[in-house]
């Protein structure tokens, strides 16, 4: 057979495989998992290194809740190498699903330019680069793609978000405005622009434009983002009645886009409180760890980002942001994937956990982030759920619990659109208050279960006298205070949480809490929080 004939045959085989993969995807969409698996298996029997079939097999195993096997198929797909955009996008998501950080760090720079400059690929890869604390790499990737797609509003908006997270607010604002010039109803650009609202004069508002965009929007998620932006704009203009109406629209729209079950959370909290005492892992694998993990926990919007940013100014502390490494270890131990940080299945499986392996796996997965520092902070607020597991797997871990006034915390949650499935309870006042009460009770339980292991940090003290509060924190950690911690220029160069704007401002408390202007609107919230002994 000639070279040309061989090339044609190879091309024909690839076309046949692609058509079979397409057929499997169609079956999967129709709910025929068995049919899709049969096709994937037939492809792998003939082509065991076909990335498309391996990645598809990973997705199928996830649907059957075989976490470890799905993870192995994802790794095999990674090693096989992707050929097209679809495979690249799926592989990126698969690697992130299993928190395969080393593979993500290696794969993203190796994405071929033809794929890397694609709008969708660039957006997804840049998003993951930011979770890896590589904002400059994310920015350069997006800028390169934007050079090939100068009229792509999503790229303009995403560049603006990276710049916002890096504290380059003027440049960020210009990119959001450029995105809106290209796509006037771009919901994300409007929302991020509203986050910068305090930098604009009172005359520079976009109320009418936002109302018009809301009227045209169709997707509940977009309506929600636009309504949150309108709420911020009206709040800045002291139109609190209008801002309350906008906030109500935002919350009801997000609830349509994001499902939530309060009953599932009540069951989860109950299971956590009923966990047996158990013994902490005292093996050398964690006692002789090269660094001390510091978990900063609490409700979202309680000041966890502020605390981590101040600590990041210390020469012996590595600030890592919100990590899902411990969650990944629990999922692997339970051989179960959950769509949230923790679910009942994982708690029920914990009786058979190898805590030594969990602790060792966590330390190994995080170690790359530091440059010789003694401490590594992990600022995923919802790790308060995992404290029973953390303190068994990592007996040397330090726990910093950030607490803030319940109403201030809950109102700040209520007026924030969270990404993905995070904080699904925050779009309804009653659900939010119920969740807060359960969180409050669980923290009381952990303090009783682990006396002396949890150090409470209050937001009010940190905001009004940061030096004194930091000295208490460092005494608990076993480190000395360093004045550079109070220098905002010594903090990390990127903040990817909702506090990216506020955390770069000088800490302090307003004379009047923000929520008080909305007292009447917030009656359902204040009424339920009063059961905690708070008087508002």
């Amino acid at each position: 057979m000639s070279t040309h004939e061989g090339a044609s045959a190879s091309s024909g085989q690839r076309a046949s495989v692609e058509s079979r993969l397409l057929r499997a995807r169609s079956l999967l969409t129709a709910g025929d998992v068995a049919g899709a698996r049969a096709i994937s298996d037939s492809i792998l029997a003939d082509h065991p290194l076909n990335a498309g079939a391996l990645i598809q097999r990973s997705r199928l195993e996830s649907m059957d809740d075989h976490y470890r096997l799905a993870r192995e198929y994802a790794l095999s797909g990674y090693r096989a190498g992707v050929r097209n955009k679809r495979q690249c996008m799926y592989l990126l998501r698969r690697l992130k699903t299993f928190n395969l950080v080393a593979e993500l760090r290696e794969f993203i720079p190796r994405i071929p330019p033809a794929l890397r400059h694609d709008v969708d690929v660039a957006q997804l890869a840049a998003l993951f680069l930011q979770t890896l604390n590589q904002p400059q790499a994310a920015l350069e990737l997006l800028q390169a793609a934007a050079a090939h797609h100068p009229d792509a509003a999503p790229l303009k908006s995403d560049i603006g978000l990276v710049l916002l997270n890096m504290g380059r607010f003027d440049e960020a604002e210009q990119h959001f405005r450029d995105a809106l010039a290209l796509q006037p109803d771009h919901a994300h650009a409007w929302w991020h622009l509203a986050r910068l609202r305090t930098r604009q004069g009172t005359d520079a508002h976009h109320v009418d434009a936002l109302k018009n965009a809301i009227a045209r929007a169709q997707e509940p998620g977009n309506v929600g983002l636009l309504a949150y932006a309108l709420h911020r704009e009206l709040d800045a203009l002291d139109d609190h009645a209008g801002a309350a109406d906008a906030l109500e629209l935002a919350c009801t729209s997000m609830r349509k886009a994001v499902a939530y079950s309060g009953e599932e959370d009540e069951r989860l909290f109950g299971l956590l409180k009923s966990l047996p005492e158990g013994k902490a892992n005292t093996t050398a694998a964690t006692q002789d760890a090269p660094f001390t993990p510091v978990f900063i926990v609490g409700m979202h919007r309680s000041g966890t980002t502020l605390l981590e940013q101040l600590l990041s100014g210390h020469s012996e502390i590595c600030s890592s942001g919100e990590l899902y490494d411990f969650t990944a270890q629990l999922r692997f131990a339970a051989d179960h994937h959950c769509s949230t940080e923790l679910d009942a299945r994982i708690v029920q499986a914990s009786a058979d956990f190898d805590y030594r392996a969990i602790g060792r796996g966590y330390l190994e997965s995080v170690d790359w982030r530091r440059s010789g520092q003694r401490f590594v902070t992990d600022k995923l607020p919802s790790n308060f759920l995992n404290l029973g597991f953390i303190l068994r797997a990592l007996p040397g871990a330090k726990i910093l619990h950030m607490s803030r006034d319940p109403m201030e915390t809950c109102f700040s949650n209520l007026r924030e659109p969270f990404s993905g499935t995070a904080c699904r309870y925050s779009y309804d006042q009653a659900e939010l208050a119920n969740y807060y009460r359960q969180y409050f009770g669980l923290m009381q339980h952990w303090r009783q279960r682990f006396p002396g292991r949890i150090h409470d940090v209050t937001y009010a003290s940190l905001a009004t006298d940061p030096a004194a509060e930091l000295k208490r924190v460092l005494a608990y950690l076993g480190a000395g205070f360093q004045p550079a911690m109070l220098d905002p220029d010594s903090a990390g160069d990127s903040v990817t949480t909702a506090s990216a704007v506020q955390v770069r401002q000088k800490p302090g408390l307003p004379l009047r809490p923000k929520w008080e202007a909305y007292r009447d609107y917030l009656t359902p919230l204040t009424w339920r929080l009063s059961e905690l002994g708070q008087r508002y």
Side-chain angles (χ1 to χ4, degrees):
M1 182 171 62
S2 68
T3 302
H4 176 74
E5 289 172 338
S8 298
S10 177
S11 176
Q13 288 177 349
R14 285 198 298 270
S16 174
V17 169
E18 285 301 317
S19 66
R20 290 157 71 189
L21 284 172
L22 182 61
R23 172 60 179 161
R25 283 193 294 273
S26 298
L27 291 175
L28 196 57
T29 301
D32 186 355
V33 176
R37 179 180 287 106
I39 294 177
S40 298
D41 286 347
S42 69
I43 295 172
L44 290 174
D46 298 331
H47 309 279
L49 297 180
N50 182 273
L54 289 166
I55 295 168
Q56 189 169 87
R57 201 69 169 81
S58 175
R59 296 176 63 212
L60 288 164
E61 294 302 333
S62 285
M63 294 180 70
D64 281 345
D65 201 23
H66 299 150
Y67 182 90
R68 297 172 194 162
L69 188 54
R71 182 179 183 273
E72 283 304 311
Y73 272 116
L75 283 169
S76 296
Y78 159 76
R79 289 189 286 265
V82 300
R83 289 181 174 273
N84 54 47
K85 173 181 175 179
R86 181 183 293 107
Q87 292 177 5
C88 184
M89 295 284 287
Y90 276 133
L91 182 59
L92 282 169
R93 294 191 182 101
R94 291 275 88 191
L95 295 178
K96 185 65 172 65
T97 292
F98 301 108
N99 203 57
L100 292 167
V101 171
E103 288 75 13
L104 269 174
R105 292 174 64 204
E106 183 179 351
F107 174 63
I108 292 176
R110 291 193 293 106
I111 296 175
L115 294 178
R116 194 165 59 244
H117 295 155
D118 179 86
V119 174
D120 298 323
V121 172
Q123 285 187 279
L124 190 61
L127 174 65
F128 294 158
L129 283 171
Q130 290 194 79
T131 68
L132 298 176
N133 285 347
Q134 296 182 4
Q136 187 60 39
L139 180 62
E140 292 171 1
L141 190 154
L142 289 168
Q143 288 173 331
H148 288 77
H149 305 279
D151 295 330
L155 288 176
K156 298 284 188 185
S157 181
D158 282 6
I159 291 172
L161 178 57
V162 178
L163 291 168
L164 185 154
N165 292 338
M166 296 173 73
R168 295 162 60 175
F169 296 141
D170 290 336
E171 296 171 80
E173 181 176 338
Q174 186 56 56
H175 276 81
F176 296 139
R177 294 188 182 281
D178 290 345
L180 291 170
L182 292 167
Q183 188 176 329
D185 294 344
H186 195 285
H188 285 87
W190 275 120
W191 164 241
H192 295 310
L193 188 62
R195 294 172 64 193
L196 295 170
R197 185 66 180 82
T198 56
R199 296 168 48 79
Q200 306 166 28
T202 56
D203 294 333
H205 65 81
H206 317 95
V207 171
D208 291 338
L210 282 166
K211 288 181 177 179
N212 291 333
I214 290 171
R216 291 188 294 267
Q218 297 181 350
E219 295 293 328
N222 287 337
V223 174
L225 280 176
L226 293 166
Y228 277 116
L230 179 60
H231 164 74
R232 292 292 181 104
E233 294 271 350
L234 292 171
D235 177 78
L237 296 170
D238 292 330
D239 181 356
H240 298 124
D245 290 340
L247 182 55
E248 182 65 18
L249 174 60
C251 289
T252 55
S253 298
M254 293 302 292
R255 175 52 71 240
K256 294 176 184 177
V258 181
Y260 174 67
S261 170
E263 292 76 12
E264 288 183 10
D265 270 341
E266 287 184 14
R267 183 181 179 221
L268 174 62
F269 279 87
L271 287 170
L272 288 171
K273 289 180 180 179
S274 65
L275 281 172
E277 289 280 345
K279 292 183 179 180
N281 174 17
T282 57
T283 61
T286 55
Q287 281 200 333
D288 297 335
F291 65 92
T292 298
V294 179
F295 291 87
I296 302 175
V297 304
M299 284 286 290
H300 282 269
R301 311 298 294 151
S302 63
T304 54
T305 301
L306 173 62
L307 176 58
E308 185 182 52
Q309 285 298 104
L310 291 169
L311 289 174
S312 71
H314 196 288
S315 62
E316 294 185 293
I317 299 177
C318 170
S319 170
S320 297
E322 297 185 354
L323 307 182
Y324 285 86
D325 295 65
F326 196 84
T327 293
Q329 294 300 317
L330 293 180
R331 291 172 176 173
F332 187 86
D335 194 18
H336 166 65
H337 178 79
C338 56
S339 61
T340 55
E341 298 90 338
L342 187 70
D343 70 0
R345 284 278 301 278
I346 290 180
V347 180
Q348 291 168 331
S350 64
D352 298 322
F353 281 178
D354 180 348
Y355 285 96
R356 181 180 185 274
I358 292 173
R360 182 177 63 248
Y362 176 83
L363 293 172
E364 291 174 353
S365 70
V366 171
D367 190 47
W368 70 271
R369 294 179 178 271
R370 69 191 186 98
S371 300
Q373 293 101 323
R374 290 173 53 203
F375 303 93
V376 175
T377 59
D378 183 337
K379 191 208 74 68
L380 183 65
S382 56
N383 265 329
F384 76 83
L385 294 165
N386 293 326
L387 292 185
F389 305 127
I390 290 172
L391 291 173
R392 287 189 65 180
L394 298 161
K398 298 291 186 178
I399 310 298
L400 299 175
H401 170 237
M402 196 75 199
S403 63
R404 185 183 181 189
D405 176 82
M407 270 301 297
E408 293 177 25
T409 302
C410 288
F411 183 57
S412 190
N413 272 267
L414 195 69
R415 63 199 301 257
E416 189 73 36
F418 292 94
S419 60
T421 59
C423 305
R424 297 180 301 170
Y425 51 80
S426 67
Y427 304 120
D428 177 271
Q429 293 189 45
E431 293 171 344
L432 174 56
N434 290 339
Y435 189 91
Y436 186 93
R437 291 188 303 183
Q438 293 178 91
Y439 142 79
F440 188 85
L442 183 61
M443 286 308 305
Q444 288 181 316
H445 172 78
W446 292 141
R447 292 189 194 94
Q448 294 171 359
R449 172 72 64 88
F450 304 103
R453 297 303 313 278
I454 300 169
H455 181 83
D456 291 295
V457 183
T458 64
Y459 178 83
S461 297
L462 192 65
T464 56
D465 193 353
E469 193 68 11
L470 286 172
K471 288 176 182 177
R472 287 189 283 270
V473 169
L474 290 163
Y476 163 74
L477 296 180
F481 175 76
Q482 294 180 357
M485 300 168 72
L486 302 178
D487 180 3
D489 293 332
S490 68
D493 61 354
S494 181
V495 179
T496 58
T497 71
S499 304
V501 176
Q502 298 96 315
V503 79
R504 298 183 186 279
Q505 301 168 354
K506 185 177 179 180
L509 293 177
L511 294 176
R512 183 188 183 200
K514 174 69 73 174
W515 68 267
E516 282 194 357
Y518 300 90
R519 180 180 291 274
D520 292 341
Y521 169 68
L522 296 173
T523 297
L525 191 59
T526 56
W527 180 72
R528 286 170 173 81
L529 291 179
S530 65
E531 296 184 13
L532 297 175
Q534 302 289 331
R535 299 185 64 182
Y536 295 111

